[in-house]
């Protein structure tokens, strides 16, 4: 069912410094920051040849990243995102296997403008997993 | 400098259950476990179309994964691995940019039989980063 790894998201305490580090020290292709007010994050995409790294920084007072950075002041890997062809079929298969979907169980429109769901980290080896329909 | 994302490593408290979950609930291609005694881990590779997920489970009493699982009993994302063409050139460029290399700074032979280095998570947004020469 799951397809490509769409991205790995890393929450960072200083978006400018992290972007510059990936650009200069690691020599990666780093895109300009994009504000995603609906998701409470500012995002920088780092393009690798086979996938993306998504640097996340809080935007606004209700950002879902604020609590994560309080617990992890240096930053840390926040989630991985797997692609699926049909997010409703994926959800139903996962629920049938006892996995919990976060929120009300209905897909939302994610940062890439496509339907996404998140799975409960406790059900997924402590890993927050996003599914994105592509 | 960095190339492909070679893998995302996830430490898991139950390798059999995690493998079965990725195989059945997520419908991924899951390989049989491999013991890596030199690295203190048993590894299961999950093949995605563009990269790999590496499930890690402690092997032996000195496994580097034991402490991680004590802190994160449900498991969690342990590291990401970026490919480089020349690991010594990569190391020197990273050190010149102020990043610390773990251990004695010399590459070791990693789980795939290729030279690897790890960067200090505090220098990399709380993320343990492995570099692998391919």
């Amino acid at each position: 069912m799951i397809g490509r790894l769409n991205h790995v998201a890393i929450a960072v305490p200083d978006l400018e410094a992290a972007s510059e580090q990936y650009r200069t020290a690691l020599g990666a292709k780093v895109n300009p920051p994009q504000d995603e007010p609906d998701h409470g994050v500012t995002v920088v995409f780092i393009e690798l040849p086979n996938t993306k790294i998504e640097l996340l920084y809080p935007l606004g007072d209700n950002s879902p990243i604020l609590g994560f950075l309080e617990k992890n002041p240096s930053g840390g890997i926040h989630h991985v995102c797997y692609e699926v062809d049909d997010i409703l079929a994926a959800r139903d298969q996962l629920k049938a296997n006892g996995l919990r979907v976060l929120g009300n169980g209905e897909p939302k429109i994610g940062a890439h403008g496509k339907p996404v769901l998140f799975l409960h980290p406790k059900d997924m080896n402590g890993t927050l997993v996003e599914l994105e329909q592509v």
Side-chain angles (χ1 to χ4, degrees), chain A residues 61-123:
Chain A
D61 294 337
N62 294 315
S63 171
I65 305 301
L66 282 171
F68 184 88
L69 285 175
E70 269 168 33
K71 280 187 215 153
N72 306 277
S74 304
I77 301 175
H78 186 264
H79 67 265
V80 292
C81 176
Y82 301 132
E83 297 179 356
V84 296
D85 287 331
D86 180 335
I87 201 154
L88 294 177
R91 175 195 64 184
D92 293 345
Q93 177 174 331
L94 292 163
K95 285 173 75 175
N97 280 276
L99 299 185
R100 285 169 289 176
V101 173
L102 295 184
N104 65 2
E106 295 305 315
K108 293 190 177 165
I109 297 303
H112 310 130
K114 297 184 175 163
V116 301
L117 284 174
F118 285 89
L119 304 180
H120 199 304
K122 288 244 159 117
D123 298 342

Side-chain angles (χ1 to χ4, degrees), chain A residues 30-74:
Chain A
V30 177
N31 287 292
Q34 297 172 218
D35 286 345
E36 305 277 356
D38 289 351
H39 299 276
V41 289
T42 301
V43 177
V44 165
F45 286 110
I46 298 167
E47 294 178 43
L48 303 183
N50 60 332
T51 190
K52 294 187 293 273
I53 304 296
E54 187 178 291
L55 302 180
L56 298 178
Y57 185 77
L59 178 67
D61 294 337
N62 294 315
S63 171
I65 305 301
L66 282 171
F68 184 88
L69 285 175
E70 269 168 33
K71 280 187 215 153
N72 306 277
S74 304

